[in-house]
Structure formats: C-alpha cells, structure tokens
Amino acid sequence: MTAMQNVSLGAHYVVHMPQPDDFAFWRERARALIQCDVPPDRVSWVEPGGTGDLFAHGGNARGEKRLPVPDKDAPPVRVSKRFMSLARNAGLHSDPERFGLLYRMLWRLQSSARIMEDKADPDVRRIEEWDKSVRRDSHKMHAFVRFREVEGDEGEHYVAWFEPDHHIVRTNAGFFKRRFANMKWSILTPRGCIHWDGKVMRESGPAQRSDAPSDDPTEDLWKSYYASTFNPARLKVGAMMAEMPKKYWKNMPEAELIPDLIASAQAREAGMVAAGEREERQQPKTLAEISSAITACRDCPIAECGTRAVMGEGAIGTPLMIVGEQPGDQEDVSGKPFVGPAGQLLDECLGTAGIDREAAYVTNAAKHFKYVQRGKRRIHQSPTAKEIDTCRWWLEAERAIVRPRIVLALGASAARGLLGKTVSISQARGAPIPLDDGSELWVTVHPSYLLRLDGDAREEHGALFARDLSAVRARLSELAV
Ligand code: URA
C-alpha cells in the first residue's frame, strides 16, 4: 500500500497534543502526516485543557489510532534549519493555532524550500512574531523571578511566583537550575510549577498566586540592593515600563521603590560616573553565564537588532582567541560566530596558515547583528565606537575566562573592543601589543574587507593578511615550546 492509499479519502485527522509544549511530539506526528501526504486543512491539532495546564497528564493520544502510517520508503521530509529553530520556540506560544500553522508551513516547505526567507510571507511573519514573543517572555522570566524564603520541614526553601504569557516554564527550568544550583526552590506559575531540591527537578500542576508567599525579611535586603544599583543615568521610563510590565511589579519587592527612585533620578544622575556603573555588576564566572547575560543585555540599541545575541565559541584555556566585529546575517540566524562568507574565507586562510580554527576561541567585539532592512535584505552596519565600548565588558569577561595567550583582532572594531581606543590597522599590524594580563594582541584586517576587494588589491591585501596569520602561527608555536 502506498502512502497515498494509506490516507482515507477526505478523512480528517485529529492530533491530541499530550502537553502544550511538547515540540518533539508535534514534530514526530507532523513528519508522519507529511509523509502520508495529508494536507494541512485535513488535520486539527488539539491541546490538553485549552491554553493552560502545562503539566496536565492523561489526555494523550485520543484518536491517535486513526492517524495514517507512512510507508517505509516514503520520501524524507524537507525542513530548513531556520524553520526548526523558529518552530521550536513558536511551538511554546500560547496561540492555540500554532501547531496547525507550523504544520502548514512544514507542508509548504516541501514544495518551496526557500519559503522561510520570504520576510513578507504572512505565515513566516507570524512564526517569527511568535518566536520573538516567546523569547521575550523567557527573558522576562529570567529577569523578574524573585524568590522569597520560606521555612519548611527540611530547612530553607525559596519560592517564586511568575505569570508567563506562554508555555515557557519547563524549557527554562535548566536556566534556574544552573543559576540557583545550591538552593532549594520552587517556581509557581498558573501554567505549571517546577521544583529543585538541589538534586532533582520535579514538576507539578498549575498554582495560584495565593500559593506563594508575598513578603519576607529578605525583601528589605533586595530593596536596598536595588536602590543602590538603580541607575538614574539610564532611566527611560517608557522603556522601563515596556521592559518590566506592571504585571510583574507586584511580584518584585523593589518595584515599591520605583516611584521614589524616578522622582530623585535627576538629582542622582549628576553624581554618577559612567565608568563606575559596570563595576557594580558582578563579573560572570562561566561562559554559560555570559551567554545568558548577553541575551538579556539591553545596554545599547544594537541589542534590539537581529534575532539573537551570538556568543563566542571554543574551549577555555585555548591559546588563541580570534575576535571579529559583530555577527553577520548568517551568524544571527545560526547563533554561531563566523559561519557566513567572511567566516568561510577566514577558515580558508587560517587553514593555509596552519592554524586550527577548532582549537581557537572565536568571538566578536559586539554580540548582536546591527543592520538596516532594504527590501528583503538585511544590510550590515558597523557598530559605533560607543556600542563597541559598551559591549567591551562582555568581551573582557570572555577573555578573563578563556585566558588565551594570543588574541587576534580582525579589523578596527575588534581592535577597539580589545584596547578601548581606536588604532590604525596599518600601524598596529605585524607586531604584538601587550595586554593587561600578559597576553599579546595581534591586529590584522577583517576578512570581509578582503571580500570587498578584487584584482590586484585583493591579491596584495590577501598576501598581507596571510603574512599576519603566519606571524601569529609562528608565535603560537614559540609559546607552545
Ligand atoms: N563578521 C564578523 O566580524 N563576525 C562574524 O561572526 C561574522 C562576520
């Protein structure tokens, strides 16, 4: 029997999702339905208990036996990486239509593989909006969950109440586990709860606001901490309201202080020194901490651009750190540094110079893709000196953790990110510049500069770039002895 024969003519299929955030379940069923050639208008996707009830059990697989089974030799399902990464997040949105629309998109991808690149397509736009909204919700959960201490039979336990807009609780459990690994805590939400006892993560059904404590003595500590770190120089009331919607205020003890702090902001601003601001922030201790912090960072306008913050990639303790300017279009999509055309040229030239990229730590001076939209294209814009300087804190934090012996700056933005001042590449290249921790900075051009050249100029500057990389290679060998 062929896949087509497998499907009863005109039949309508109902897929009961066991959980509203079970993307793996959706993916498996969607693949089978596509392989059986079932069009989107003949499938309904039903969630357990409507929109809430993240951890409800039991409704699994009602009507499942009616789903068709693909032939063993059915053609594979075509998916693009971009679709999968957006769909994974979009599937957590609270819109009950999401699984149906994702299925429609998967169906459309079978005949037009590049459909995800069409920014004007209404389905693509909707999935992108869902993805963005889910990411924003996770960001708010990371930023606004506040634990209150309660005394239980087994000692101290911290409890927080949070009201997510989407089905993000389970997917964010790992973040809180890493961050509060040594505490016993519970996060209660109307969509389901998670509990960590220092060893094991548990889940339970939806909770109510009244299940969580509303105040305790640690709130005073919070409030004084918040008052001392509140930064009037950065105060933008509109942005603050958007970032910290009032619905979260009631869970945050420090919110009580906000009206007074706003009132005195002008007076305090004069007394603040910009350089001192960052010192009050805690220095991240792991690359994972930096990675989640840059995702939440809104210290400069670039953070609002692009899809995501792109974290550096590579091992701690590696002798070479390579620093570019900022992620480009493809890096923004994939979340990895130097994977686009400049990255390919870099890989090629590193290979020729005998430098193993896999053994280096590769990152950027700015962590977000800055661009302007022209039609369907996103055109790269260089970060300003101020934006590079703002992002410098993260680059320095990465350098402090990775501890490379040699840092290679690709281009002027990277050099500024490392030195905190602008240098001329032609003057700085060819010799090491000592850095504060005893490591050496080597400066060369950015590979995308070479991509913009052709003819003799490309050859000439390509040779200079190769010479710079060979010098770095030689220095790495010397240091390894
Ligand atoms: N250009 C950069 O500077 N960095 C990247 O990651 C990609 C392109």
Side-chain angles (χ1 to χ4, degrees), residues 188-439:
L188 312 185
T189 92
R191 292 178 187 274
C193 309
I194 45 177
H195 313 268
W196 173 249
D197 65 4
K199 292 193 191 82
V200 178
M201 186 72 76
R202 266 190 324 106
E203 298 173 353
S204 64
Q208 294 176 0
R209 176 76 187 87
S210 55
D211 296 332
S214 61
D215 55 11
D216 80 344
T218 56
E219 291 195 355
D220 288 341
L221 255 177
W222 252 112
K223 286 183 206 165
S224 56
Y225 168 80
Y226 186 74
S228 70
T229 57
F230 182 86
N231 183 346
R234 299 239 192 91
L235 181 60
K236 289 194 191 105
V237 179
M240 188 169 94
M241 299 292 201
E243 188 62 18
M244 192 200 290
K246 280 218 161 126
K247 97 174 192 194
Y248 301 112
W249 286 33
K250 59 183 182 294
N251 307 325
M252 302 173 66
E254 65 270 33
E256 218 175 81
L257 301 176
I258 290 173
D260 280 352
L261 289 168
I262 291 175
S264 60
Q266 298 286 328
R268 289 179 59 206
E269 181 175 352
M272 291 202 65
V273 185
E277 292 169 19
R278 283 293 176 84
E279 269 151 32
E280 291 184 20
R281 244 186 214 178
Q282 279 213 334
Q283 189 75 19
K285 295 195 179 52
T286 63
L287 294 175
E289 258 182 71
I290 301 179
S291 178
S292 49
I294 58 174
T295 300
C297 180
R298 291 293 177 274
D299 286 353
C300 80
I302 311 189
E304 295 300 337
C305 287
T307 314
R308 55 173 63 77
V310 177
M311 178 62 187
E313 203 178 47
I316 293 176
T318 187
L320 176 64
M321 179 175 200
I322 301 176
V323 183
E325 178 188 84
Q326 62 172 0
D329 184 76
Q330 294 191 30
E331 288 77 16
D332 174 63
V333 171
S334 69
K336 291 175 176 297
F338 279 105
V339 293
Q344 282 156 24
L345 180 59
L346 177 66
D347 287 357
E348 199 182 298
C349 298
L350 287 173
T352 309
I355 298 174
D356 180 7
R357 169 174 169 166
E358 296 304 315
Y361 183 87
V362 180
T363 191
N364 283 296
K367 306 297 186 224
H368 286 86
F369 175 35
K370 181 177 178 185
Y371 65 92
V372 287
Q373 190 83 41
R374 297 241 172 83
K376 289 185 186 172
R377 296 186 58 213
R378 303 194 295 173
I379 311 291
H380 161 274
Q381 301 281 289
S382 288
T384 62
K386 194 166 169 210
E387 286 158 350
I388 295 168
D389 293 349
T390 305
C391 224
R392 182 158 187 247
W393 203 75
W394 301 121
L395 181 60
E396 286 301 288
E398 279 177 290
R399 194 159 71 83
I401 291 170
V402 176
R403 294 185 318 280
R405 309 282 302 270
I406 291 191
V407 184
L408 173 63
L410 303 173
S413 299
R416 179 164 184 118
L418 289 152
L419 292 169
K421 62 178 184 187
T422 299
V423 291
S424 139
I425 303 286
S426 58
Q427 283 169 16
R429 75 194 312 178
I433 301 170
L435 292 174
D436 51 358
D437 61 352
S439 61

Side-chain angles (χ1 to χ4, degrees), residues 112-150:
S112 18
R114 299 177 71 94
I115 192 85
M116 291 307 293
E117 286 158 42
D118 182 356
K119 300 270 174 205
D121 184 281
D123 285 350
V124 174
R125 293 217 341 228
R126 195 132 173 244
I127 293 174
E128 283 179 345
E129 273 159 25
W130 283 339
D131 164 62
K132 211 167 179 174
S133 170
V134 165
R135 279 188 294 118
R136 201 176 307 125
D137 204 25
S138 287
H139 162 62
K140 292 205 160 86
M141 185 171 178
H142 296 177
F144 301 141
V145 157
R146 291 286 179 274
F147 288 104
R148 288 156 161 92
E149 189 181 341
V150 291

